[in-house]
Structure formats: structure tokens, C-alpha cells
Amino acid sequence: MDVNTNPKAPLTPQRHPAGKDRSKAEVLFLVDQLDAVYQTHQCSLSCEDSLVLASLPAELLISIFRYVLEDNGMAFHVTDPEDSAQLDVTDLVQLTHVCQLWRDVAVRYSPFWSRIHGAHRDMLDVSAARSRGMPLTLLLSTEKGDATDILTTYGSRLQKLHLTISSEYADVRPLLRFTPKTLECLTITYSDLSDQPESPLGQITLFSQSVLPSLKALAIEPMASWIPANSFPQLTHLLLVLSMVRETPDPIDLLKLISNLPQLEFLYLYGLAPSDRATEFSNQISCPFLRSVTFICGCMHTATAMLTTMIIPPAAYVCLDNVYVFEDAPPLLPHLSVVDGISRIEVATDGYLLHLVAESSNSGLWLQGQFEGNHNGDDQRSWATWFSTLDASLPLDQVTSLSIFVGGDCDALLAFLSSMPCLNEVSVRFNPEWEDDPDRSVVRSLYAFLQDPANCAKLKLLTIDINANGAQEHPPLYTRDLMHMVRRHASAHRSLHQVTLQPFTDGDEADKHAFSEVAEELSRFSNLANVVQLRQPGPAAGEFRQRACWNLSDASKYWTIDADSGRPSYKLPWKME
């Protein structure tokens, strides 16, 4: 918050022309000098430097203090409430002990003191007083018995409350008896849920108010036996960490909560349990402002059933990451408006695992799923049949770019290619270890399909990425079949402009001689040399990579989510190669 735009800040220095016109290099020099003093707590600078420091305007000192204290941020680490250095005032207190000038400036700048870690009980009242009536951010644990008293005293001033609760407060209502006049963000983290009430509490009203008009962000991790029944007319961020081993709250209660969030923009649900109850929700839920939906580490059937109930706008991103199929077959994907404008698809599967990303310029659908159960090869379940249903959920006939890995499943490859007549770019990744049988070769099936110029008639660019890890001998690329396909396209005057063969590794160097025979065979077709290119081993040309559009900056406005398990990330196709 800028000291000049905050009417409550008692310290409002005038802008200093010298401070406004200082070069970036000079400011960085001053930062280095001030930081050195801060680190050593000794004013051992030269007389000239001391005069420079003493002449700095308060506004510039504050900016430099904020630079030094940049870790004293506003986000809260949901999955590790103990990692909360961003609310620790230790560094701030040390700044006030360097010299009287620094102390006066730091103490009088209220925003520095508005973020309080409740573990420092001795500093709580001091920080609250120095914040001079500003809205407070408070991180508080109930492990000390005075949490209720603290909330009663400062509750009406809270803007952000991050509450870590022990099992004795399975029912959170006794803690939330204050009036949340300015509360914008509420984070509830249970440190222990072993002592739960015998009967679930179900829907409860927080703060004894049916409507909470000021709340914009709500996170509960993990969910206890209750769920809020309040209406949240301004809430934009909802984060709930559930448990697949408990059936409370069930999807009906979750959908009721979502229906009470007319301004919702970011929805994050972790750990949806298997349940058929989502289909019992009779009303469609309009979510006109929704920008991002993330269902992670839960049941795919429950997730898709909930999506069927929600009306999601076209310019949004829907992500089902690390979801599990507990039934014999995966559920059908509902048709969502976010896929109406897609032009690009990535898909990777080995039959058991699935990676599917469909994107347009401003929306997308992300699905990473797997079958729950036997991982030893005895499980006959597969995504192959499910692929045949995708044309009812995705407008495959308008897709122009496809990146695909299907393991050894030729039928899956041909099913995708047959349903995408507008493709002009195709990237196929394959593993030579699965190509020994010519009758079941994925790459040979690809050539055979494309020999008919009517198939993928708009195709311009074809990339074939070859897994060259440990390649020591001639890989089965079926070069003659490839060149026959290229010749057929040329004679039919089709649009195939370039075929790229790219050997790639995961770090180990490939034997360059392993592809010498391929290069020799290609050289026999000199008239097609400008069409077919064999590259030296290197990175895959058709890279599967997570694009920036899936990392919406506003999604982490209030919380930081664990990067290892809580955020969607690419796991395929390399995990199964």
C-alpha cells in the first residue's frame, strides 16, 4: 500500500525530487549500503555515506525497507502453516534497532505492523498498536489457550485470518464469535482431525451471520465434518482440501456451497471422494465469473458429475489432475464451453495412464487420469474405448495441431487422426522398443494411414520424435514406408511440406551411429530430401510442456500451494517411457 494513497497512514512524507529522479543504479547502491548496515547492525560507514543516508527522504527509506523485507509478503502457505516466515516480524524489529532515524521511519509506517504472527504473543499488542487502526493480517494457532480472547479483541479489525486449529475445535464456531467487519480472507487449517464428533456437523453458519459480505477468499485444509452454509456474495477464491477416505462433505453439500458464491473466479478442490450423489443435484449452477476450476487427486466420476452441474463460461480453464477411475471404465467427459474454441490437443497414454490437454487462445481443458487398482499388468482396463467417445465432448473436427503418444496402441492413434480432418501439424512420439512387430508398429500404421492423401488432407508438418535412450542399433523407422507415403502426397499435390525425424533422449547420449543406416536409406530418395529431414539426437521436437496459461497469477493471490503435490504438473509422457 503506497503511503501517499493510504488515508489512515500517519506518516505521509512529501515526495522528494531527488528521490524521484534517482537513477536505478544509485538506488541499488543505496540498497546495498543500507542492507549492509542492517546485516551488521553497525553504522560504520564513512562520514560522506552517513550524510547521504541521513538525507534520504522517509518515502525512499520505506521503499528500501520493503525491498529488504520482501519475504514479509501477503500469501499464506496452505499446506504447511508452520512455514510462515512471511508473517514474522523479527527482521522488522531488527531494522528498528539500527539507528533512531530507521526506528522512527519504520515504527511510524503502519503497513509494516499490520501483519502479525500470533506465535509472538509479546509483539501482538505492540504490532496492533503501531498499525494504527489498519486492517490486520493475523496468523494464529489454538495451541495456546488465549486464541479466543485474541480473536475477540482484534476480530473486528482483521482483513486476513489464517487459523490453525487443534482437534478440540472440530466445531470452529466457538472461535468465530466476533463480527468480521473487514475480513477478506479466511484460512482454516486443522492440525489434527483424529478427534471428530461421532455425527457429522454438516452445514454450519460461520460468525452467526447467514451472509458474509466482505469475505473474498476461503480455504479449509483439511475439511472437517462441516461445511459453511453462509452466502458469500463477494467471494472469488475457494480452496478446499478434502479426503478420499471420508465421505463428508458430500458433493451435494459442495455444490450447495458453490451455488452461494455468485462471484466465484477460482475453485480448487483436492481429494474428491467417490460418490454418486452429485447427479442428485437438481439445479444447474451458473458461474459467470469463473476463470479456473481445479480438481486434483480425487475421483474422476465425482469430478465430471460436478462439472456437469456447473455452467462454466467459455474463457476459463478446467483442470482435472491426477484423478482416479475406480469403476470399470472412465466416465464420459461433459461438453464444456471452454473447449468450443480449441485448436490444439496433446494426448499421451499407455493404456493405463492418460494425459489430455485441449487448448484455445483463452481457455482449456486438462485431464490427467489413471485407473485405481492393479498396477502389475493384470488389469485389463484401458482408455482405448473411452477415446471413441471424445468427439461428443470435444470439437475434434476443428483441431489443427496434435501432439500424441499412444505407447503401442495403433488403434488409439488412428482413432484420433481419423476424427481430426483439419490437422495441419502433427507430432507423434514413439518408442522403438514397441516397434519390432511390423504388423503392430505405431509409426508404420501412421505411414499407412497417411498414404491416402484424403486422410489429414490439410497436413503440412509431421514430426516424429524417436526415443533414442540407449539406442545401439538401427531403430525400426520403416524408412521405405515413410518415403512411399511422402511420394504419394507429392503426386497428389497435397500440402505436406515437411517431415522431421528427431531422435531424443532423457539425458543419456544416443549413439549417433545407430541412425546412420536411416540417414543412408533416406539419401536414396534425393528428390525428396527437401521434405524429409533426419536431425541429430537432441531435445524432442514436439515437446510436451505446460504452458503459461495454466498458471493464472491471480489464483495465488491469497495462498501458496505446495508445488510437489498440490499444483497440476506434467507427468506424461516421459513417466511411462
Side-chain angles (χ1 to χ4, degrees):
M1 185 176 295
D2 193 305
V3 69
N4 293 286
T5 60
N6 175 21
K8 295 184 179 180
L11 177 63
T12 311
Q14 297 296 318
R15 291 192 179 274
H16 196 289
K20 182 178 180 181
D21 297 335
R22 290 183 192 273
S23 68
K24 181 178 180 181
E26 186 177 357
V27 171
L28 290 176
F29 169 76
L30 292 171
V31 168
D32 289 340
Q33 297 230 8
L34 288 169
D35 194 41
V37 175
Y38 161 66
Q39 295 294 339
T40 62
H41 294 188
Q42 296 177 359
C43 293
S44 56
L45 303 176
S46 67
C47 179
E48 181 181 352
D49 289 335
S50 298
L51 290 174
V52 172
L53 294 177
S55 67
L56 290 178
E59 181 185 47
L60 185 54
L61 270 177
I62 289 171
S63 297
I64 297 173
F65 288 172
R66 293 177 69 177
Y67 178 89
V68 174
L69 298 170
E70 61 182 359
D71 289 337
N72 190 7
M74 301 299 287
F76 178 63
H77 201 293
V78 174
T79 55
D80 187 3
E82 299 304 319
D83 181 19
S84 302
Q86 69 269 26
L87 296 179
D88 196 337
V89 297
T90 303
D91 291 346
L92 177 58
V93 172
Q94 289 178 350
L95 277 175
T96 67
H97 291 173
V98 172
C99 65
Q100 189 62 44
L101 172 63
W102 288 24
R103 178 179 178 83
D104 290 344
V105 172
V107 167
R108 294 171 62 195
Y109 187 63
S110 303
F112 282 159
W113 305 95
S114 64
R115 300 186 289 275
I116 305 172
H117 197 311
H120 305 284
R121 294 296 203 265
D122 56 331
M123 284 298 300
L124 197 152
D125 291 335
V126 173
S127 297
R130 290 177 177 175
S131 66
R132 294 178 176 85
M134 286 194 68
L136 300 176
T137 293
L138 174 63
L139 189 151
L140 187 65
S141 172
T142 63
E143 291 182 359
K144 293 188 177 182
D146 56 350
T148 303
D149 294 337
I150 292 173
L151 290 172
T152 300
T153 303
Y154 297 109
S156 62
R157 289 185 56 190
L158 292 178
Q159 182 180 41
K160 299 179 181 179
L161 172 60
H162 309 298
L163 195 57
T164 301
I165 303 177
S166 55
S167 59
E168 63 182 296
Y169 288 102
D171 184 351
V172 72
R173 285 174 290 187
L175 290 168
L176 304 180
R177 289 175 174 167
F178 60 90
T179 301
K181 296 180 180 179
T182 58
L183 189 62
E184 179 180 325
C185 173
L186 174 62
T187 304
I188 297 175
T189 301
Y190 279 95
S191 59
D192 181 15
L193 281 177
S194 58
D195 186 18
Q196 286 287 292
E198 294 183 3
S199 300
L201 296 173
Q203 291 186 301
I204 65 173
T205 301
L206 304 179
F207 300 102
S208 300
Q209 296 182 208
S210 60
V211 179
L212 293 177
S214 65
L215 202 66
K216 295 184 178 180
L218 174 64
I220 307 175
E221 191 274 327
M223 289 292 292
S225 64
W226 57 268
I227 190 168
N230 309 67
S231 176
F232 303 90
Q234 298 300 321
L235 196 136
T236 58
H237 291 65
L238 178 64
L239 185 155
L240 303 178
V241 177
L242 311 164
S243 171
M244 283 195 291
V245 299
R246 294 196 311 270
E247 295 186 1
T248 56
D250 70 17
I252 293 291
D253 291 332
L254 292 172
L255 290 169
K256 287 180 179 178
L257 173 60
I258 294 171
S259 69
N260 288 330
L261 313 176
Q263 299 291 322
L264 185 63
E265 296 182 24
F266 298 93
L267 173 62
Y268 179 102
L269 299 181
Y270 183 102
L272 281 172
S275 174
D276 295 328
R277 294 211 62 207
T279 58
E280 301 174 16
F281 197 81
S282 57
N283 298 323
Q284 291 278 292
I285 302 173
S286 178
C287 305
F289 301 102
L290 203 55
R291 297 170 57 192
S292 171
V293 180
T294 302
F295 294 158
I296 186 168
C297 196
C299 174
M300 183 177 174
H301 282 77
T302 306
T304 54
M306 290 185 65
L307 289 175
T308 302
T309 303
M310 300 167 60
I311 303 175
I312 301 174
Y317 293 88
V318 175
C319 176
L320 281 67
D321 187 71
N322 200 24
V323 291
Y324 293 87
V325 177
F326 292 89
E327 307 293 335
D328 292 336
L332 300 181
L333 281 179
H335 178 78
L336 303 172
S337 60
V338 299
V339 302
D340 287 346
I342 65 169
S343 59
R344 179 181 180 278
I345 284 183
E346 287 181 353
V347 62
T349 182
D350 67 346
Y352 173 74
L353 299 169
L354 171 72
H355 162 100
L356 174 68
V357 177
E359 296 171 336
S360 72
S361 60
N362 63 351
S363 65
L365 173 67
W366 167 311
L367 172 61
Q368 290 200 98
Q370 60 183 298
F371 289 99
E372 174 62 19
N374 192 345
H375 296 199
N376 299 321
D378 296 334
D379 196 332
Q380 299 301 313
R381 293 178 296 177
S382 170
W383 293 92
T385 304
W386 181 82
F387 288 145
S388 64
T389 68
L390 278 180
D391 57 350
S393 307
L394 303 176
L396 301 180
D397 58 349
Q398 68 186 37
V399 174
T400 59
S401 176
L402 172 68
S403 296
I404 187 167
F405 171 78
V406 293
D409 193 341
C410 303
D411 295 335
L413 173 65
L414 300 183
F416 272 99
L417 294 176
S418 300
S419 57
M420 300 181 181
C422 291
L423 285 173
N424 55 54
E425 296 182 8
V426 173
S427 173
V428 180
R429 182 176 296 194
F430 81 99
N431 193 328
E433 293 181 1
W434 296 349
E435 297 291 310
D436 291 338
D437 182 358
D439 294 332
R440 296 301 302 167
S441 164
V442 171
V443 70
R444 196 161 182 253
S445 297
L446 170 67
Y447 302 154
F449 178 81
L450 294 178
Q451 277 187 18
D452 184 349
N455 294 331
C456 298
K458 298 182 180 181
L459 184 63
K460 296 180 180 179
L461 303 175
L462 174 62
T463 300
I464 300 174
D465 284 318
I466 311 141
N467 189 337
N469 285 322
Q472 299 293 329
E473 58 185 23
H474 176 40
L477 286 178
Y478 303 100
T479 310
R480 292 182 180 276
D481 296 80
L482 167 63
M483 303 312 289
H484 181 60
M485 179 270 291
V486 173
R487 188 182 294 112
R488 287 287 301 273
H489 271 259
S491 62
H493 303 289
R494 293 301 184 184
S495 55
L496 185 58
H497 294 168
Q498 184 72 54
V499 178
T500 301
L501 304 177
Q502 176 63 68
F504 74 94
T505 69
D506 292 334
D508 298 332
E509 288 191 8
D511 184 353
K512 295 182 179 180
H513 298 292
F515 293 89
S516 59
E517 293 186 30
V518 177
E520 184 178 346
E521 290 183 7
L522 291 177
S523 66
R524 299 171 186 171
F525 302 90
S526 57
N527 59 323
L528 298 176
N530 62 325
V531 178
V532 181
Q533 177 186 20
L534 174 64
R535 294 183 179 178
Q536 292 295 319
E543 183 183 6
F544 284 72
R545 62 182 176 86
Q546 184 172 344
R547 284 155 181 77
C549 62
W550 293 98
N551 298 315
L552 300 177
S553 58
D554 290 345
S556 55
K557 178 179 180 179
Y558 296 99
W559 309 292
T560 300
I561 298 173
D562 184 22
D564 293 331
S565 61
R567 298 183 198 169
S569 60
Y570 271 31
K571 305 174 182 67
L572 303 176
W574 48 86
K575 288 291 185 182
M576 51 197 178
E577 293 181 352

